[in-house]
């Protein structure tokens, strides 16, 4: 069940609380951005619904394909009941959910720029729950290393009192910086959809390298499962950013502009 807080007779799961607060924060930012761009309509709400449903499914099922030997993987039912709740799985599921919702609703507009700052802030809030309930990271001798309770799940180093990387704090700092940067860029990037591309590219690079400080299991060549998932993604995203740069998508206009959705 994970750590819980007790408020009177009510029991609140800590991780779930901050995930919920993160989703709420993301929805608030999305609505504010949609209003600013004049994009609040039934179609954009359908896209949000697709993101929420797809993200929930992606997080729950993200632990299914954990081994190259598929016989060693849980069934879909087991993955749903005891899913790893991976953020990467949630993001992939949300992206697929938006695509499906837009296709079903016949919406051809770009929604990524509305989601980018919303996801960044939502991730920053949600990761607080991870920091409070999960293994911080790998052992470190750096002065800002943190200690966790001996009962923290999947944290052998906690038993010996080792200082560990506060990897989730690294991600919270990254997501807050990304949110601030995206809010600054939102009226400077003139090509619809490119704000989302830049956020995904930045997060993919960050996540690959921060994995070296996290407590995730390494599976091959000292790389974790998220890193193996990210390697082909980084190649595709890198090509996409290079393509956008060559096309001049990231050249700022000389004067600030409000960009329609």
């Amino acid at each position: 069940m994970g750590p819980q807080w007790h408020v009177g007779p009510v029991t609140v799961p800590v991780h779930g609380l901050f995930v919920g607060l993160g989703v709420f924060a993301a929805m608030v930012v999305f609505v504010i951005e949609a209003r600013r761009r004049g994009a609040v309509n039934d179609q954009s709400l359908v896209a949000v619904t697709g993101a929420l449903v797809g993200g929930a499914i992606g997080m729950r099922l993200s632990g299914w394909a954990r081994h190259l030997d598929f016989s060693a993987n849980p069934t879909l039912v087991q993955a749903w009941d005891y899913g790893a709740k991976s953020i990467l799985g949630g993001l992939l599921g949300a992206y697929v959910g938006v695509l499906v919702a837009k296709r079903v609703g016949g919406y051809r507009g770009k929604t990524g720029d509305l989601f980018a700052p919303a996801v960044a802030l939502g991730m920053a809030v949600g990761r607080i729950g991870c920091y409070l309930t999960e293994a911080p990271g790998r052992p470190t001798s750096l002065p800002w290393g943190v200690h966790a309770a001996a009962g923290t799940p999947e944290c052998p180093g906690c038993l010996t009192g080792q200082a560990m990387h506060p990897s989730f704090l690294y991600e919270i700092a990254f997501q807050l910086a990304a949110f601030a940067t995206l809010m600054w860029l939102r009226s400077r990037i003139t090509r619809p959809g490119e704000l989302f591309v830049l956020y995904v590219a930045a997060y993919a690079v960050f996540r690959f390298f921060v994995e070296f400080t996290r407590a995730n299991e390494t599976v091959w060549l000292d790389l974790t499962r998220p890193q193996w998932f990210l390697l082909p993604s980084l190649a595709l995203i890198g090509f996409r950013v290079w393509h956008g740069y060559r096309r001049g998508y990231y050249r700022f206009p000389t004067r600030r502009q409000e960009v329609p959705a």
Side-chain angles (χ1 to χ4, degrees):
M1 294 292 293
Q4 300 173 335
W5 287 340
H6 299 278
V7 183
V10 179
T11 299
V12 181
V14 177
H15 186 272
L17 171 65
F18 282 98
V19 168
L21 290 174
V23 171
F24 177 75
M27 291 183 66
V28 169
V29 173
F30 181 91
V31 170
I32 291 174
E33 279 298 283
R35 285 180 175 176
R36 186 183 73 87
R37 293 169 178 259
V40 177
N41 50 48
D42 292 342
Q43 293 175 325
S44 64
L45 295 179
V46 168
V48 171
T49 302
L52 292 175
V53 173
I57 294 174
M59 287 184 69
R60 296 299 298 183
L61 297 182
S62 57
W64 175 60
R66 294 175 60 85
H67 306 284
L68 293 177
D69 178 5
F70 282 95
S71 64
N73 290 318
T75 65
L76 286 175
V77 174
Q78 291 171 330
W80 181 264
D81 288 338
Y82 309 103
K85 299 181 180 179
S86 164
I87 291 294
L88 288 177
L91 288 176
L92 179 60
Y95 178 70
V96 173
V98 170
L99 292 182
V100 172
K102 287 170 66 175
R103 176 60 63 90
V104 172
Y107 182 48
R108 298 182 179 277
K110 298 284 189 179
T111 55
D113 291 346
L114 301 177
F115 280 108
V119 170
L121 184 60
M123 290 275 285
V125 175
R127 282 305 194 190
I128 297 175
C130 297
Y131 176 70
L132 294 175
T133 61
E134 298 182 22
R138 300 181 187 181
T140 180
S141 59
L142 294 172
W144 55 79
V146 297
H147 298 268
T152 302
E154 299 181 5
C155 183
C158 299
L159 296 173
T160 61
Q162 292 177 284
M164 289 164 286
H165 281 284
S167 60
F168 292 117
L169 292 185
Y170 298 159
E171 181 155 357
I172 291 170
F174 168 83
Q175 297 292 355
L176 289 175
F179 173 71
T181 301
L182 291 167
M183 295 298 282
W184 180 75
L185 287 174
R186 61 184 180 170
S187 57
R188 293 173 169 83
I189 298 294
T190 59
R191 180 83 177 185
E194 294 306 310
L195 203 64
F196 180 73
V197 170
L198 291 177
Y199 170 68
V200 170
Y203 180 60
V205 172
F206 167 81
R207 181 58 190 271
F208 182 85
F209 285 104
V210 82
E211 277 292 307
F212 289 112
T213 71
R214 293 189 61 178
N216 289 332
E217 176 190 8
T218 57
V219 292
W220 191 39
L221 299 180
D222 288 331
L223 298 180
T224 65
R225 289 185 180 88
Q227 286 175 314
W228 283 110
F229 172 85
L230 286 166
L231 275 177
S233 304
L234 285 169
L236 293 173
I237 293 169
F239 175 79
R240 178 60 181 80
V241 171
W242 174 82
H243 173 77
Y245 176 78
R246 293 274 300 190
R247 291 294 184 93
Y249 296 166
Y250 312 132
R251 296 172 187 167
F252 297 160
T254 55
R255 301 174 66 179
R256 288 171 59 94
Q257 302 178 16
E258 290 296 321
V259 182

